[in-house]
C-alpha cells in the first residue's frame, strides 16, 4: 500500500477528494494509455496466504466508497478474493475509476451482480460494447449494469448464441430488443436457449418461428429468472398447473411470472393452504391460479399476513375470503407499504367509500391511488354539473376498470369545458398533499 497505509489506519481515505473530482469526469479514450499499464489480469495469488489486515482494510474501504455496505463488500471479496492481492493504488483504484467513468453511480449495482466486474479490462469492455452496438443494442453501458456477466464470455460465444436465436426465426432488430429486455438470455448455451424457445412455442401451440413466441417472451417480466430456469423444471410446473385445471391462458401467465420454477411439491402445499384458508370449492382454485398465478410464488405465511391486514382495516374474515376469491390480486397485496396506506387513506377519508362498497367491488382495492384520486375529483365536478343521476361513488365503482380513454368518453362534460386528460390528472395530483408517501 506504500506511504498511504497510515491514512487507512487513521480512518482517512487517501482518495476521498480525488474521487469527488474524478468520478463525474467523462471517459476519455486518450487517457487509456495510463490505464493500460494496470490491466487487471493474473493479479491473484495462489499461495493461499491471507493478506495483512491493513491491506484488507484498504481494499474494503475502496469498495465502500462506492456506496457498498460492509456486508456487500464482504460478499464481493468472498466471491472474488483476488482483489485482496491487488495493489490498492496501482491496480484497484484505476479499475474502479475506469468503471465509474463508464457506468457512473451504477458501478455499485453492477458489482453487486458480478463481483468480478473490476477484473474485466478496458480493452475487453470496449470490444464487448462495440459488439453489442453492432448487433443493434442501443445502450451497452445500461446492459452491462443489468447483466455484467456478459463480459465473461468471448465474442465468439455470444455470437454463437445470437446465431441460435436467428435460427428460430428472430430478426436482428428482435434479437437486440430481446437482449436489452432479458440480457441473461445471452448467458444460456445455444442448445438450452433453443430449447427454452421451443418450450414456449409448445405452450402456445405455435411453431417456434411464429412471432407469438417472441411477443410472449417480450412480455416476461424483466426481473424474471425465466431464462435461467431449467426447461425440465418449467415443464413439471406447467404439468402441475394443467392437472389442477388451469386454463391455457392461465398457464401462459404462470410461465411469464416464472411460477413454473416452483417445484410441484411446493405448489401442492401452497394450493392446499389456499383452499383451506379461503374455504374454496373445487372450481375456484383453477380460476384463482389462472387470474393470479403469482400467488404460488409467495410463502403461505405472507398470504396470511396480507389477508389479516385486510381484517385489521375493518373487513370481516368472511368478507376477506369473498373478496380474495373474486379478486385474487388481494392475496399478493402487501398493505404495509406506504403506497397501499396512501390509497386506503384516499378511499376512506377523501372518497369516503363504505366498506360494503369495497366488498361488492374489490377491484377498487387493487387500483392505484394515482388513478382513483383524479377520477374521484373529476366525477365530483361532473356530478355538480351534468352527471346528476348517480353518486360519484357509484360512478367510480362502475368505471374503476375502464382505461383512461374509455373513462373520458363515458363521462364527457364538453358543455362544462371539463376534460379528463393527462393535464387534469397532473393538476389533481399536484394539489394533493400525501399522508404516507413523500411529497
Amino acid at each position: 500500500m506504500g506511504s498511504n497505509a497510515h491514512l487507512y489506519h487513521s480512518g482517512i481515505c487517501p482518495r476521498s477528494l480525488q474521487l469527488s473530482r474524478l468520478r463525474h469526469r467523462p471517459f476519455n479514450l486518450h487517457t487509456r494509455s495510463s490505464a493500460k499499464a494496470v490491466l487487471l489480469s493474473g493479479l491473484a495469488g495462489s499461495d493461499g496466504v491471507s493478506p495483512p489486515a491493513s491491506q484488507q482494510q484498504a481494499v474494503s474501504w475502496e469498495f465502500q466508497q462506492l456506496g457498498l455496505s460492509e456486508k456487500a463488500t464482504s460478499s464481493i471479496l468472498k466471491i472474488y478474493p483476488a482483489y485482496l492481492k491487488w495493489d490498492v493504488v496501482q491496480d484497484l483504484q484505476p479499475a474502479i475509476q475506469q468503471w465509474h467513468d463508464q457506468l457512473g453511480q451504477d458501478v455499485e449495482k453492477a458489482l453487486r451482480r458480478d463481483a468480478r466486474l473490476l477484473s474485466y479490462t478496458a480493452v475487453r469492455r470496449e470490444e464487448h460494447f462495440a459488439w453489442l452496438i453492432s448487433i443493434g443494442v442501443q445502450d451497452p453501458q445500461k446492459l452491462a449494469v443489468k447483466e455484467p456477466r456478459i463480459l465473461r464470455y468471448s465474442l465468439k460465444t455470444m455470437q454463437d448464441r445470437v446465431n441460435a436465436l436467428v435460427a428460430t426465426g428472430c430478426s436482428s432488430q428482435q434479437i437486440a430488443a430481446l437482449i436489452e429486455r432479458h440480457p441473461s438470455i445471452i448467458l444460456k448455451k445455444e442448445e438450452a436457449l433453443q430449447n427454452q424457445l421451443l418450450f414456449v412455442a409448445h405452450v402456445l401451440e405455435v411453431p417456434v418461428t411464429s412471432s407469438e413466441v417472441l411477443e410472449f417472451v417480450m412480455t416476461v417480466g424483466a426481473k424474471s429468472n425465466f431464462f435461467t430456469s431449467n426447461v425440465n423444471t418449467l415443464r413439471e410446473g406447467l404439468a402441475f398447473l394443467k392437472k389442477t385445471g388451469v386454463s391455457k391462458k392461465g398457464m401462459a401467465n404462470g410461465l411469464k411470472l416464472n411460477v413454473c420454477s416452483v417445484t410441484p411439491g411446493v405448489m401442492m402445499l401452497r394450493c392446499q393452504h389456499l383452499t383451506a384458508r379461503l374455504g374454496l370449492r373445487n372450481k375456484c382454485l383453477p380460476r384463482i391460479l389462472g387470474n393470479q398465478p403469482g400467488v404460488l410464488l409467495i410463502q403461505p405465511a405472507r398470504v396470511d399476513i396480507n389477508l389479516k391486514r385486510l381484517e385489521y382495516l375493518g373487513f370481516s374474515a368472511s368478507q376477506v375470503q369473498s373478496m380474495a376469491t373474486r379478486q385474487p390480486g388481494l392475496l399478493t397485496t402487501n398493505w404495509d407499504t406506504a403506497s397501499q396506506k396512501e390509497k386506503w387513506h384516499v378511499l376512506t377519508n377523501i372518497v369516503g367509500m363504505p366498506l360494503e362498497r369495497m366488498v361488492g367491488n374489490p377491484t377498487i382495492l387493487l387500483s392505484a391511488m394515482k388513478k382513483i384520486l383524479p377520477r374521484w375529483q373529476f366525477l365530483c365536478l361532473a356530478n355538480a354539473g351534468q352527471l346528476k343521476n348517480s353518486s360519484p361513488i357509484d360512478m367510480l365503482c362502475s368505471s374503476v376498470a375502464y382505461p383512461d380513454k374509455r373513462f373520458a368518453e363515458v363521462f364527457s362534460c364538453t358543455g362544462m369545458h371539463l376534460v379528463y386528460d393527462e393535464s387534469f390528472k397532473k393538476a389533481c395530483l399536484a394539489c394533493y398533499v400525501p399522508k404516507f408517501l413523500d411529497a
Side-chain angles (χ1 to χ4, degrees), residues 281-310:
R281 298 176 182 176
N282 292 335
K283 293 183 179 180
C284 290
L285 182 61
R287 184 175 61 79
I288 287 176
L289 296 182
N291 291 337
Q292 191 67 29
V295 71
L296 292 178
L297 295 172
I298 300 177
Q299 294 284 352
R302 182 68 249 181
V303 173
D304 287 343
I305 291 173
N306 293 342
L307 296 179
K308 276 292 183 185
R309 289 292 185 270
L310 288 172

PDB file of all heavy atoms in Angstrom, residues 281-310:
ATOM      1  N   ARG A 281     -64.082 -23.949  -3.119  1.00  0.00           N
ATOM      2  CA  ARG A 281     -64.699 -25.101  -3.765  1.00  0.00           C
ATOM      3  C   ARG A 281     -63.780 -25.576  -4.878  1.00  0.00           C
ATOM      4  O   ARG A 281     -62.835 -24.896  -5.255  1.00  0.00           O
ATOM      5  CB  ARG A 281     -66.069 -24.732  -4.329  1.00  0.00           C
ATOM      6  CG  ARG A 281     -67.060 -24.296  -3.250  1.00  0.00           C
ATOM      7  CD  ARG A 281     -68.360 -23.840  -3.877  1.00  0.00           C
ATOM      8  NE  ARG A 281     -69.302 -23.380  -2.859  1.00  0.00           N
ATOM      9  CZ  ARG A 281     -70.484 -22.850  -3.132  1.00  0.00           C
ATOM     10  NH1 ARG A 281     -70.866 -22.701  -4.406  1.00  0.00           N
ATOM     11  NH2 ARG A 281     -71.298 -22.473  -2.156  1.00  0.00           N
ATOM     12  N   ASN A 282     -64.086 -26.729  -5.457  1.00  0.00           N
ATOM     13  CA  ASN A 282     -63.196 -27.352  -6.439  1.00  0.00           C
ATOM     14  C   ASN A 282     -62.876 -26.450  -7.618  1.00  0.00           C
ATOM     15  O   ASN A 282     -61.733 -26.383  -8.073  1.00  0.00           O
ATOM     16  CB  ASN A 282     -63.802 -28.665  -6.951  1.00  0.00           C
ATOM     17  CG  ASN A 282     -63.843 -29.731  -5.863  1.00  0.00           C
ATOM     18  OD1 ASN A 282     -63.052 -29.668  -4.931  1.00  0.00           O
ATOM     19  ND2 ASN A 282     -64.754 -30.676  -5.978  1.00  0.00           N
ATOM     20  N   LYS A 283     -63.866 -25.752  -8.166  1.00  0.00           N
ATOM     21  CA  LYS A 283     -63.666 -24.974  -9.378  1.00  0.00           C
ATOM     22  C   LYS A 283     -63.041 -23.605  -9.123  1.00  0.00           C
ATOM     23  O   LYS A 283     -62.657 -22.919 -10.073  1.00  0.00           O
ATOM     24  CB  LYS A 283     -64.993 -24.809 -10.112  1.00  0.00           C
ATOM     25  CG  LYS A 283     -65.550 -26.110 -10.667  1.00  0.00           C
ATOM     26  CD  LYS A 283     -66.829 -25.863 -11.459  1.00  0.00           C
ATOM     27  CE  LYS A 283     -67.377 -27.155 -12.039  1.00  0.00           C
ATOM     28  NZ  LYS A 283     -68.623 -26.940 -12.813  1.00  0.00           N
ATOM     29  N   CYS A 284     -62.969 -23.199  -7.868  1.00  0.00           N
ATOM     30  CA  CYS A 284     -62.450 -21.854  -7.560  1.00  0.00           C
ATOM     31  C   CYS A 284     -60.929 -21.773  -7.673  1.00  0.00           C
ATOM     32  O   CYS A 284     -60.384 -20.759  -8.128  1.00  0.00           O
ATOM     33  CB  CYS A 284     -62.882 -21.432  -6.157  1.00  0.00           C
ATOM     34  SG  CYS A 284     -64.651 -21.097  -6.018  1.00  0.00           S
ATOM     35  N   LEU A 285     -60.233 -22.835  -7.257  1.00  0.00           N
ATOM     36  CA  LEU A 285     -58.772 -22.805  -7.253  1.00  0.00           C
ATOM     37  C   LEU A 285     -58.188 -22.599  -8.654  1.00  0.00           C
ATOM     38  O   LEU A 285     -57.317 -21.733  -8.828  1.00  0.00           O
ATOM     39  CB  LEU A 285     -58.210 -24.071  -6.618  1.00  0.00           C
ATOM     40  CG  LEU A 285     -56.674 -24.130  -6.511  1.00  0.00           C
ATOM     41  CD1 LEU A 285     -56.154 -22.992  -5.638  1.00  0.00           C
ATOM     42  CD2 LEU A 285     -56.231 -25.478  -5.952  1.00  0.00           C
ATOM     43  N   PRO A 286     -58.636 -23.343  -9.693  1.00  0.00           N
ATOM     44  CA  PRO A 286     -58.095 -23.097 -11.035  1.00  0.00           C
ATOM     45  C   PRO A 286     -58.325 -21.662 -11.508  1.00  0.00           C
ATOM     46  O   PRO A 286     -57.457 -21.084 -12.185  1.00  0.00           O
ATOM     47  CB  PRO A 286     -58.861 -24.094 -11.919  1.00  0.00           C
ATOM     48  CG  PRO A 286     -59.285 -25.177 -10.993  1.00  0.00           C
ATOM     49  CD  PRO A 286     -59.557 -24.496  -9.681  1.00  0.00           C
ATOM     50  N   ARG A 287     -59.462 -21.074 -11.169  1.00  0.00           N
ATOM     51  CA  ARG A 287     -59.740 -19.703 -11.587  1.00  0.00           C
ATOM     52  C   ARG A 287     -58.795 -18.728 -10.893  1.00  0.00           C
ATOM     53  O   ARG A 287     -58.283 -17.790 -11.506  1.00  0.00           O
ATOM     54  CB  ARG A 287     -61.198 -19.343 -11.285  1.00  0.00           C
ATOM     55  CG  ARG A 287     -61.593 -17.955 -11.786  1.00  0.00           C
ATOM     56  CD  ARG A 287     -63.066 -17.698 -11.565  1.00  0.00           C
ATOM     57  NE  ARG A 287     -63.418 -17.750 -10.153  1.00  0.00           N
ATOM     58  CZ  ARG A 287     -63.194 -16.755  -9.292  1.00  0.00           C
ATOM     59  NH1 ARG A 287     -62.595 -15.648  -9.699  1.00  0.00           N
ATOM     60  NH2 ARG A 287     -63.544 -16.879  -8.035  1.00  0.00           N
ATOM     61  N   ILE A 288     -58.555 -18.956  -9.595  1.00  0.00           N
ATOM     62  CA  ILE A 288     -57.638 -18.088  -8.850  1.00  0.00           C
ATOM     63  C   ILE A 288     -56.224 -18.192  -9.415  1.00  0.00           C
ATOM     64  O   ILE A 288     -55.551 -17.188  -9.639  1.00  0.00           O
ATOM     65  CB  ILE A 288     -57.650 -18.451  -7.351  1.00  0.00           C
ATOM     66  CG1 ILE A 288     -58.959 -17.982  -6.711  1.00  0.00           C
ATOM     67  CG2 ILE A 288     -56.457 -17.834  -6.626  1.00  0.00           C
ATOM     68  CD1 ILE A 288     -59.102 -18.367  -5.267  1.00  0.00           C
ATOM     69  N   LEU A 289     -55.769 -19.408  -9.670  1.00  0.00           N
ATOM     70  CA  LEU A 289     -54.416 -19.598 -10.187  1.00  0.00           C
ATOM     71  C   LEU A 289     -54.291 -19.066 -11.609  1.00  0.00           C
ATOM     72  O   LEU A 289     -53.224 -18.586 -12.011  1.00  0.00           O
ATOM     73  CB  LEU A 289     -54.044 -21.089 -10.148  1.00  0.00           C
ATOM     74  CG  LEU A 289     -53.966 -21.724  -8.755  1.00  0.00           C
ATOM     75  CD1 LEU A 289     -53.533 -23.181  -8.866  1.00  0.00           C
ATOM     76  CD2 LEU A 289     -53.028 -20.962  -7.844  1.00  0.00           C
ATOM     77  N   GLY A 290     -55.376 -19.141 -12.377  1.00  0.00           N
ATOM     78  CA  GLY A 290     -55.343 -18.603 -13.726  1.00  0.00           C
ATOM     79  C   GLY A 290     -55.270 -17.088 -13.740  1.00  0.00           C
ATOM     80  O   GLY A 290     -54.561 -16.490 -14.551  1.00  0.00           O
ATOM     81  N   ASN A 291     -55.990 -16.450 -12.803  1.00  0.00           N
ATOM     82  CA  ASN A 291     -56.012 -14.984 -12.728  1.00  0.00           C
ATOM     83  C   ASN A 291     -54.794 -14.419 -12.013  1.00  0.00           C
ATOM     84  O   ASN A 291     -54.307 -13.338 -12.339  1.00  0.00           O
ATOM     85  CB  ASN A 291     -57.279 -14.509 -12.012  1.00  0.00           C
ATOM     86  CG  ASN A 291     -58.526 -14.763 -12.824  1.00  0.00           C
ATOM     87  OD1 ASN A 291     -58.459 -14.888 -14.043  1.00  0.00           O
ATOM     88  ND2 ASN A 291     -59.668 -14.850 -12.172  1.00  0.00           N
ATOM     89  N   GLN A 292     -54.328 -15.145 -11.007  1.00  0.00           N
ATOM     90  CA  GLN A 292     -53.231 -14.640 -10.183  1.00  0.00           C
ATOM     91  C   GLN A 292     -52.243 -15.762  -9.888  1.00  0.00           C
ATOM     92  O   GLN A 292     -52.078 -16.177  -8.747  1.00  0.00           O
ATOM     93  CB  GLN A 292     -53.780 -14.057  -8.874  1.00  0.00           C
ATOM     94  CG  GLN A 292     -52.779 -13.256  -8.050  1.00  0.00           C
ATOM     95  CD  GLN A 292     -52.352 -11.983  -8.739  1.00  0.00           C
ATOM     96  OE1 GLN A 292     -53.102 -11.415  -9.512  1.00  0.00           O
ATOM     97  NE2 GLN A 292     -51.143 -11.525  -8.482  1.00  0.00           N
ATOM     98  N   PRO A 293     -51.552 -16.289 -10.910  1.00  0.00           N
ATOM     99  CA  PRO A 293     -50.624 -17.400 -10.676  1.00  0.00           C
ATOM    100  C   PRO A 293     -49.466 -17.030  -9.756  1.00  0.00           C
ATOM    101  O   PRO A 293     -48.873 -17.893  -9.112  1.00  0.00           O
ATOM    102  CB  PRO A 293     -50.130 -17.747 -12.085  1.00  0.00           C
ATOM    103  CG  PRO A 293     -50.359 -16.504 -12.889  1.00  0.00           C
ATOM    104  CD  PRO A 293     -51.592 -15.885 -12.316  1.00  0.00           C
ATOM    105  N   GLY A 294     -49.168 -15.731  -9.669  1.00  0.00           N
ATOM    106  CA  GLY A 294     -48.066 -15.293  -8.807  1.00  0.00           C
ATOM    107  C   GLY A 294     -48.247 -15.628  -7.347  1.00  0.00           C
ATOM    108  O   GLY A 294     -47.287 -15.594  -6.576  1.00  0.00           O
ATOM    109  N   VAL A 295     -49.480 -16.004  -6.955  1.00  0.00           N
ATOM    110  CA  VAL A 295     -49.713 -16.354  -5.551  1.00  0.00           C
ATOM    111  C   VAL A 295     -48.910 -17.593  -5.167  1.00  0.00           C
ATOM    112  O   VAL A 295     -48.565 -17.788  -3.991  1.00  0.00           O
ATOM    113  CB  VAL A 295     -51.222 -16.575  -5.288  1.00  0.00           C
ATOM    114  CG1 VAL A 295     -51.718 -17.858  -5.926  1.00  0.00           C
ATOM    115  CG2 VAL A 295     -51.520 -16.581  -3.786  1.00  0.00           C
ATOM    116  N   LEU A 296     -48.567 -18.417  -6.154  1.00  0.00           N
ATOM    117  CA  LEU A 296     -47.783 -19.623  -5.867  1.00  0.00           C
ATOM    118  C   LEU A 296     -46.309 -19.313  -5.611  1.00  0.00           C
ATOM    119  O   LEU A 296     -45.555 -20.188  -5.199  1.00  0.00           O
ATOM    120  CB  LEU A 296     -47.903 -20.612  -7.027  1.00  0.00           C
ATOM    121  CG  LEU A 296     -49.285 -21.239  -7.223  1.00  0.00           C
ATOM    122  CD1 LEU A 296     -49.294 -22.154  -8.429  1.00  0.00           C
ATOM    123  CD2 LEU A 296     -49.712 -22.007  -5.967  1.00  0.00           C
ATOM    124  N   LEU A 297     -45.907 -18.075  -5.852  1.00  0.00           N
ATOM    125  CA  LEU A 297     -44.530 -17.661  -5.566  1.00  0.00           C
ATOM    126  C   LEU A 297     -44.380 -17.145  -4.137  1.00  0.00           C
ATOM    127  O   LEU A 297     -43.273 -16.887  -3.682  1.00  0.00           O
ATOM    128  CB  LEU A 297     -44.095 -16.560  -6.542  1.00  0.00           C
ATOM    129  CG  LEU A 297     -43.992 -16.948  -8.016  1.00  0.00           C
ATOM    130  CD1 LEU A 297     -43.752 -15.705  -8.865  1.00  0.00           C
ATOM    131  CD2 LEU A 297     -42.880 -17.958  -8.236  1.00  0.00           C
ATOM    132  N   ILE A 298     -45.506 -16.976  -3.451  1.00  0.00           N
ATOM    133  CA  ILE A 298     -45.498 -16.350  -2.131  1.00  0.00           C
ATOM    134  C   ILE A 298     -45.637 -17.403  -1.033  1.00  0.00           C
ATOM    135  O   ILE A 298     -46.435 -18.338  -1.152  1.00  0.00           O
ATOM    136  CB  ILE A 298     -46.646 -15.325  -2.020  1.00  0.00           C
ATOM    137  CG1 ILE A 298     -46.481 -14.247  -3.091  1.00  0.00           C
ATOM    138  CG2 ILE A 298     -46.682 -14.683  -0.640  1.00  0.00           C
ATOM    139  CD1 ILE A 298     -47.595 -13.230  -3.099  1.00  0.00           C
ATOM    140  N   GLN A 299     -44.878 -17.226   0.009  1.00  0.00           N
ATOM    141  CA  GLN A 299     -44.970 -18.122   1.155  1.00  0.00           C
ATOM    142  C   GLN A 299     -46.363 -18.043   1.768  1.00  0.00           C
ATOM    143  O   GLN A 299     -46.940 -16.954   1.871  1.00  0.00           O
ATOM    144  CB  GLN A 299     -43.932 -17.733   2.224  1.00  0.00           C
ATOM    145  CG  GLN A 299     -42.490 -17.913   1.807  1.00  0.00           C
ATOM    146  CD  GLN A 299     -42.058 -19.369   1.836  1.00  0.00           C
ATOM    147  OE1 GLN A 299     -42.783 -20.244   2.306  1.00  0.00           O
ATOM    148  NE2 GLN A 299     -40.871 -19.630   1.315  1.00  0.00           N
ATOM    149  N   PRO A 300     -46.948 -19.171   2.194  1.00  0.00           N
ATOM    150  CA  PRO A 300     -48.270 -19.160   2.833  1.00  0.00           C
ATOM    151  C   PRO A 300     -48.374 -18.174   3.995  1.00  0.00           C
ATOM    152  O   PRO A 300     -49.409 -17.529   4.177  1.00  0.00           O
ATOM    153  CB  PRO A 300     -48.444 -20.608   3.307  1.00  0.00           C
ATOM    154  CG  PRO A 300     -47.638 -21.404   2.328  1.00  0.00           C
ATOM    155  CD  PRO A 300     -46.441 -20.553   2.023  1.00  0.00           C
ATOM    156  N   ALA A 301     -47.290 -18.030   4.755  1.00  0.00           N
ATOM    157  CA  ALA A 301     -47.311 -17.096   5.890  1.00  0.00           C
ATOM    158  C   ALA A 301     -47.518 -15.662   5.410  1.00  0.00           C
ATOM    159  O   ALA A 301     -48.220 -14.870   6.054  1.00  0.00           O
ATOM    160  CB  ALA A 301     -46.011 -17.205   6.688  1.00  0.00           C
ATOM    161  N   ARG A 302     -46.936 -15.314   4.260  1.00  0.00           N
ATOM    162  CA  ARG A 302     -47.107 -13.959   3.715  1.00  0.00           C
ATOM    163  C   ARG A 302     -48.534 -13.751   3.229  1.00  0.00           C
ATOM    164  O   ARG A 302     -49.097 -12.663   3.391  1.00  0.00           O
ATOM    165  CB  ARG A 302     -46.131 -13.767   2.556  1.00  0.00           C
ATOM    166  CG  ARG A 302     -46.158 -12.394   1.903  1.00  0.00           C
ATOM    167  CD  ARG A 302     -45.627 -11.318   2.824  1.00  0.00           C
ATOM    168  NE  ARG A 302     -46.655 -10.401   3.270  1.00  0.00           N
ATOM    169  CZ  ARG A 302     -46.433  -9.367   4.060  1.00  0.00           C
ATOM    170  NH1 ARG A 302     -45.214  -9.107   4.511  1.00  0.00           N
ATOM    171  NH2 ARG A 302     -47.406  -8.577   4.437  1.00  0.00           N
ATOM    172  N   VAL A 303     -49.122 -14.768   2.631  1.00  0.00           N
ATOM    173  CA  VAL A 303     -50.526 -14.686   2.211  1.00  0.00           C
ATOM    174  C   VAL A 303     -51.413 -14.440   3.425  1.00  0.00           C
ATOM    175  O   VAL A 303     -52.313 -13.591   3.392  1.00  0.00           O
ATOM    176  CB  VAL A 303     -50.957 -15.975   1.479  1.00  0.00           C
ATOM    177  CG1 VAL A 303     -52.467 -15.956   1.209  1.00  0.00           C
ATOM    178  CG2 VAL A 303     -50.195 -16.121   0.165  1.00  0.00           C
ATOM    179  N   ASP A 304     -51.148 -15.165   4.499  1.00  0.00           N
ATOM    180  CA  ASP A 304     -51.946 -14.988   5.726  1.00  0.00           C
ATOM    181  C   ASP A 304     -51.827 -13.561   6.255  1.00  0.00           C
ATOM    182  O   ASP A 304     -52.817 -12.962   6.684  1.00  0.00           O
ATOM    183  CB  ASP A 304     -51.486 -15.983   6.800  1.00  0.00           C
ATOM    184  CG  ASP A 304     -51.921 -17.412   6.497  1.00  0.00           C
ATOM    185  OD1 ASP A 304     -52.830 -17.581   5.654  1.00  0.00           O
ATOM    186  OD2 ASP A 304     -51.357 -18.347   7.083  1.00  0.00           O
ATOM    187  N   ILE A 305     -50.622 -13.022   6.220  1.00  0.00           N
ATOM    188  CA  ILE A 305     -50.414 -11.647   6.705  1.00  0.00           C
ATOM    189  C   ILE A 305     -51.202 -10.661   5.845  1.00  0.00           C
ATOM    190  O   ILE A 305     -51.854  -9.760   6.361  1.00  0.00           O
ATOM    191  CB  ILE A 305     -48.910 -11.297   6.697  1.00  0.00           C
ATOM    192  CG1 ILE A 305     -48.175 -12.107   7.776  1.00  0.00           C
ATOM    193  CG2 ILE A 305     -48.695  -9.804   6.906  1.00  0.00           C
ATOM    194  CD1 ILE A 305     -46.665 -11.962   7.726  1.00  0.00           C
ATOM    195  N   ASN A 306     -51.135 -10.846   4.515  1.00  0.00           N
ATOM    196  CA  ASN A 306     -51.857  -9.943   3.611  1.00  0.00           C
ATOM    197  C   ASN A 306     -53.353  -9.954   3.890  1.00  0.00           C
ATOM    198  O   ASN A 306     -54.016  -8.910   3.873  1.00  0.00           O
ATOM    199  CB  ASN A 306     -51.595 -10.343   2.152  1.00  0.00           C
ATOM    200  CG  ASN A 306     -50.146 -10.106   1.734  1.00  0.00           C
ATOM    201  OD1 ASN A 306     -49.418  -9.365   2.391  1.00  0.00           O
ATOM    202  ND2 ASN A 306     -49.736 -10.738   0.658  1.00  0.00           N
ATOM    203  N   LEU A 307     -53.899 -11.126   4.131  1.00  0.00           N
ATOM    204  CA  LEU A 307     -55.343 -11.234   4.402  1.00  0.00           C
ATOM    205  C   LEU A 307     -55.686 -10.692   5.792  1.00  0.00           C
ATOM    206  O   LEU A 307     -56.733 -10.070   5.980  1.00  0.00           O
ATOM    207  CB  LEU A 307     -55.782 -12.696   4.269  1.00  0.00           C
ATOM    208  CG  LEU A 307     -55.634 -13.297   2.860  1.00  0.00           C
ATOM    209  CD1 LEU A 307     -56.078 -14.757   2.850  1.00  0.00           C
ATOM    210  CD2 LEU A 307     -56.427 -12.492   1.840  1.00  0.00           C
ATOM    211  N   LYS A 308     -54.807 -10.925   6.745  1.00  0.00           N
ATOM    212  CA  LYS A 308     -55.044 -10.409   8.103  1.00  0.00           C
ATOM    213  C   LYS A 308     -55.051  -8.880   8.118  1.00  0.00           C
ATOM    214  O   LYS A 308     -55.811  -8.261   8.872  1.00  0.00           O
ATOM    215  CB  LYS A 308     -53.967 -10.928   9.062  1.00  0.00           C
ATOM    216  CG  LYS A 308     -54.251 -12.311   9.631  1.00  0.00           C
ATOM    217  CD  LYS A 308     -55.440 -12.284  10.580  1.00  0.00           C
ATOM    218  CE  LYS A 308     -55.694 -13.636  11.207  1.00  0.00           C
ATOM    219  NZ  LYS A 308     -56.947 -13.611  12.039  1.00  0.00           N
ATOM    220  N   ARG A 309     -54.201  -8.282   7.305  1.00  0.00           N
ATOM    221  CA  ARG A 309     -54.163  -6.823   7.247  1.00  0.00           C
ATOM    222  C   ARG A 309     -55.506  -6.258   6.776  1.00  0.00           C
ATOM    223  O   ARG A 309     -55.953  -5.216   7.243  1.00  0.00           O
ATOM    224  CB  ARG A 309     -53.057  -6.367   6.279  1.00  0.00           C
ATOM    225  CG  ARG A 309     -51.649  -6.610   6.803  1.00  0.00           C
ATOM    226  CD  ARG A 309     -51.339  -5.713   8.002  1.00  0.00           C
ATOM    227  NE  ARG A 309     -49.963  -5.846   8.439  1.00  0.00           N
ATOM    228  CZ  ARG A 309     -49.530  -6.715   9.345  1.00  0.00           C
ATOM    229  NH1 ARG A 309     -50.404  -7.555   9.898  1.00  0.00           N
ATOM    230  NH2 ARG A 309     -48.268  -6.764   9.710  1.00  0.00           N
ATOM    231  N   LEU A 310     -56.161  -6.964   5.852  1.00  0.00           N
ATOM    232  CA  LEU A 310     -57.490  -6.535   5.406  1.00  0.00           C
ATOM    233  C   LEU A 310     -58.498  -6.607   6.543  1.00  0.00           C
ATOM    234  O   LEU A 310     -59.380  -5.750   6.671  1.00  0.00           O
ATOM    235  CB  LEU A 310     -57.956  -7.386   4.221  1.00  0.00           C
ATOM    236  CG  LEU A 310     -57.252  -7.119   2.890  1.00  0.00           C
ATOM    237  CD1 LEU A 310     -57.655  -8.159   1.859  1.00  0.00           C
ATOM    238  CD2 LEU A 310     -57.597  -5.718   2.374  1.00  0.00           C
TER     239      LEU A 310
END
